Amino acid sequence: MTALTRSAPTGYSRLQILLHWGAAALIVQQYLLKDAMSAAWDAATKGVDIAFNPLVLAHVAGGALVLVFALWRLSIKARVGAPAMVGDSAVQRSLAKATHLGLYALMILMPLSGSMAWFGGVELAAQGHNILKIALLALIALHVVAAVYHHFVLKDGLINRMRRAEG
């Protein structure tokens, strides 16, 4: 069956759910470790030798994992699809699609810009990374508010798709 003829799944697989919540946990970790990373960046840009810091390593590794998880989820989506967007209107479904696209874009761009800054010393990438983190926080907030709205106002069971695997 080709991608054009197969029907969209009604729920997410266990792997898709694990990758979703794994990426969410890693993103929370990234924000918790940002001060250690900022301090190391400031020291490095001033030419100060920086000692090994496990918090910096965790931030770098966490960013790499966010990138891997995002690409992995996109590859699964390309192969098996994803459940249809849910919403009362075409506007809500379009907003959901745009939000998800933005989240994926930022989960890819954040680690890339962070890597360019940290490993390449690219100041512009560091500045972009800081701007992108604000956009990521805004989209995560929108994503959470929408999930809560679906759960408590629309009561459409949408949130259950990310809690229980299909099949």
Side-chain angles (χ1 to χ4, degrees), residues 39-123:
W41 173 259
D42 289 342
T45 57
K46 292 176 183 163
V48 176
D49 285 337
I50 49 175
F52 172 77
N53 184 335
L55 299 178
V56 171
L57 176 60
H59 187 85
V60 172
L65 280 174
V66 168
L67 175 63
V68 167
F69 285 8
L71 293 174
W72 196 353
R73 283 191 68 201
L74 286 171
S75 73
I76 293 169
K77 185 176 181 177
R79 283 193 324 275
V80 300
M85 293 288 176
V86 176
D88 286 343
S89 69
V91 171
Q92 281 183 345
R93 289 187 298 277
S94 294
L95 183 57
K97 186 175 270 188
T99 301
H100 283 97
L101 178 65
L103 286 168
Y104 279 113
L106 290 168
M107 287 188 291
I108 293 167
L109 291 172
M110 289 284 300
L112 292 178
S113 62
S115 293
M116 288 173 59
W118 187 248
F119 295 111
V122 180
E123 178 68 35

